[in-house]
């Protein structure tokens, strides 16, 4: 709303300025000396309009200047000629500046389009359902114009279970994006082929060791949820990344801290001990929120960090995407300004299985009992989730 008001005001300002100058000149007479300020119209027209609009405002400014010069009997005199030359020069300069601005905007739009395409290739949409998990993702770039950053995430359904990664590349820009692409490419292959998470982590280390130079690194946490209805735990492997937030079905909340801190990816092949996998309870109805440090390090105007564990109640929304959207909106309300770092969140929900006996096929219901709510329960997305969970 405020942005539209500012845009409208900027668009109207050239006409308001020329009208004010004309009114002041007619009221105060030629001695007031405001007629050269008619050039404000074309000068401001180039800030928001196109070439045609800028040329139109320039022509209008010239016409008003000539009319005022004739009215004040200054046409052909030195003062009147100086005013006309000033208005004409500013109009031509504004037209050239508008043309250059539109050319730069077109180039920026092309670069932004390429960046968005690269982001879609790099961070492909995650599946909404993977095994017995319900998955939702939220990504907010600190540079809104770029819409691309160094945070990464992926979900892979492998023969060994559902495997997930979320990470944060040190640094910004295209170099960070290139590093994220290396990590994701290695993870997508290793997650499907390797028998356990430590071996997947070794594959990522080797891939980064070939790619990274100097002391660059990537913090990441890997998660594995095995297949099978008997599964009640998730395995985590943490490479110096913020611990995921575990939200139990009974409402208890805690950070799933690793047994010991480990170095990030890219630094583990220099003689340090690799991270140890650890297990956390993960039963039907539980949630795991994976995130990057752009979430917990978001600060309000009083320099207070975002209290993620105290906002776990926002994840109670039955829809996973809506729950993450609530958290994202709450972060923006907390900061009340653009984020200083990229913020990615990946929510894993263990869907509560529904006993097969409780599921009644729609075809078996009496015709007179078939209603819109029943149809939605049987065929809607949530009904499908319950059926998948029971299977």
């Amino acid at each position: 709303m405020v942005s539209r008001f500012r845009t409208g005001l900027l668009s109207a300002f050239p006409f308001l300025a020329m009208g004010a100058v004309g009114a002041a000149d007619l009221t105060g007479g030629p001695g007031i000396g405001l007629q050269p300020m008619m050039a404000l119209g074309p000068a401001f027209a180039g800030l928001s309009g196109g070439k045609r609009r800028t040329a139109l405002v320039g022509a209008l400014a010239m016409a008003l200047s000539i009319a005022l010069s004739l009215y004040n009997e200054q046409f052909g005199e030195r003062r009147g000629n100086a005013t006309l030359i000033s208005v004409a020069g500013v109009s031509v300069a504004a037209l050239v500046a508008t043309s250059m601005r539109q050319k730069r905007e077109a180039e920026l739009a092309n670069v932004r389009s390429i960046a968005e395409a690269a982001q879609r290739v790099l961070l492909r949409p995650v599946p909404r359902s993977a095994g017995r998990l319900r998955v939702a993702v939220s990504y907010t770039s600190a540079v809104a114009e770029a819409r691309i950053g160094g945070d990464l995430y992926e979900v892979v359904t492998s023969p060994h279970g559902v495997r997930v990664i979320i990470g944060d590349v040190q640094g910004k820009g295209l170099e960070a994006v290139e590093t994220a692409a290396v990590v994701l490419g290695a993870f997508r292959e290793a997650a499907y082929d390797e028998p356990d998470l430590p071996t997947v982590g070794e594959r990522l280390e080797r891939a980064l060791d070939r790619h990274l130079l100097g002391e660059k690194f990537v913090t990441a946490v890997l998660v594995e949820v095995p297949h099978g209805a008997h599964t009640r735990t998730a395995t985590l492997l943490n490479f110096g990344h913020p611990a995921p937030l575990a939200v139990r079905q009974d409402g208890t909340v805690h950070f799933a801290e690793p047994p010991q801190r480990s170095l990030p990816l890219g630094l583990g092949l220099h003689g340090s001990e690799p991270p140890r996998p650890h297990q956390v309870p993960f039963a039907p109805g539980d949630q795991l929120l994976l995130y990057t440090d752009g979430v917990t390090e978001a600060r309000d105007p009083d320099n207070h960090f975002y209290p993620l564990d105290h906002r776990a109640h926002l994840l109670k929304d039955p829809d996973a995407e809506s729950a993450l959207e609530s958290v994202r909106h709450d972060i923006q309300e907390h900061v009340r300004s653009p984020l200083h770092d990229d913020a990615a969140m990946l929510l894993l929900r263990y869907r509560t299985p529904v006993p097969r006996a409780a599921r009644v096929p729609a075809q078996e219901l009496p015709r007179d009992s078939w209603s819109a709510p029943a149809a939605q329960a049987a065929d809607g997305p949530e009904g499908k989730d319950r059926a998948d969970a029971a299977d």
Side-chain angles (χ1 to χ4, degrees):
M1 185 68 179
V2 176
S3 178
R4 288 198 299 268
F5 175 76
R6 291 176 179 174
T7 302
L9 182 61
L10 186 60
S11 299
F13 186 82
F15 303 100
L16 296 175
M18 291 187 296
V21 171
D25 190 87
L26 291 175
T27 303
I32 197 171
L34 293 180
Q35 191 175 339
M37 295 184 66
M38 193 67 69
L40 288 175
F44 279 90
L47 296 179
S48 59
K51 291 184 291 185
R52 181 178 300 180
R53 183 175 183 272
T54 303
L56 176 63
V57 174
L60 180 60
M62 282 295 297
L64 291 175
S65 297
I66 293 174
L68 289 175
S69 295
L70 291 173
Y71 178 79
N72 295 324
E73 298 180 352
Q74 293 180 343
F75 189 79
E77 297 183 358
R78 184 177 61 181
R79 180 179 296 182
N81 292 338
T83 297
L84 296 180
I85 292 174
S86 299
V87 173
V90 172
S91 298
V92 172
L95 191 60
V96 173
T98 301
S99 178
M100 297 176 61
R101 174 177 59 81
Q102 290 184 319
K103 182 179 179 180
R104 288 194 298 269
E105 288 176 349
E107 293 175 351
L108 178 60
N110 290 333
V111 172
R112 184 178 298 173
S113 177
I114 295 173
E116 290 178 351
Q119 185 80 328
R120 287 193 296 269
V121 173
L122 179 65
L123 297 179
R124 301 179 300 194
V126 300
R128 297 186 65 182
S129 297
R132 296 184 177 275
L133 301 182
R134 182 72 165 170
V135 184
V137 67
S138 171
Y139 182 86
T140 304
S141 175
V143 184
E145 293 80 4
R147 302 183 187 177
I148 189 166
D151 288 1
L152 58 96
Y153 52 81
E154 184 59 287
V155 178
V156 175
T157 302
S158 74
H160 313 285
V162 179
R163 289 175 171 174
V164 181
I165 186 175
I166 191 167
D168 187 2
V169 180
Q170 180 201 22
K172 302 294 179 184
L174 293 179
E175 184 178 354
V177 174
E178 182 182 0
T179 303
V182 171
V183 175
L184 288 175
F187 177 78
R188 286 163 182 161
E189 291 187 6
Y192 193 85
D193 295 336
E194 300 299 340
D196 52 45
L197 284 187
T199 312
V200 175
E202 292 175 4
R203 288 273 295 270
L204 299 182
E205 288 280 16
R206 290 197 295 269
L208 280 176
D209 189 57
R210 293 191 298 267
H211 171 77
L212 293 179
L213 297 175
E215 297 182 353
K216 298 289 184 179
F217 58 83
V218 180
T219 66
V221 59
L222 281 62
V223 182
E224 178 183 275
V225 180
H227 297 304
H230 61 280
T231 302
R232 292 294 184 271
T233 60
T235 302
L236 276 63
L237 190 66
N238 196 313
F239 291 88
H241 196 78
L245 183 70
V247 183
R248 303 300 304 276
Q249 188 177 25
D250 60 7
T252 58
V253 178
H254 71 278
F255 288 102
E257 297 284 353
Q260 62 181 29
R261 302 298 296 176
S262 300
L263 292 178
L265 290 166
L267 302 178
L269 295 180
H270 300 286
S272 63
E273 184 179 352
R276 298 177 183 176
H278 65 286
Q279 294 184 331
V280 297
F282 194 48
D286 293 348
Q287 302 182 79
L288 273 178
L289 179 62
L290 285 66
Y291 56 91
T292 57
D293 57 9
V295 174
T296 51
E297 294 182 2
R299 305 190 187 197
D300 64 8
D302 296 327
N303 212 30
H304 296 148
F305 291 112
Y306 181 71
L308 180 60
D309 53 340
H310 296 160
R311 298 292 196 272
H313 62 277
L314 297 174
L315 297 175
K316 292 181 179 180
D317 194 300
D319 182 72
E321 286 80 8
S322 298
L324 272 192
E325 179 63 20
S326 298
V327 177
R328 188 187 70 82
H329 181 72
D330 191 59
I331 294 173
Q332 292 178 336
E333 289 292 326
H334 176 81
V335 176
R336 286 184 282 179
S337 65
L339 296 178
H340 298 293
D341 196 4
D342 299 334
M345 295 181 288
L346 189 66
L347 180 62
L348 305 179
R349 283 184 171 178
Y350 199 129
R351 294 180 293 180
T352 304
V354 178
R356 185 177 298 273
R359 292 157 46 204
V360 180
Q363 294 81 355
E364 297 180 7
L365 291 173
R367 189 62 185 177
D368 57 358
S369 67
W370 183 250
S371 61
Q376 294 173 359
D379 296 333
E382 295 301 326
K384 184 179 183 300
D385 290 345
R386 290 194 298 270
D388 293 341
D391 290 337

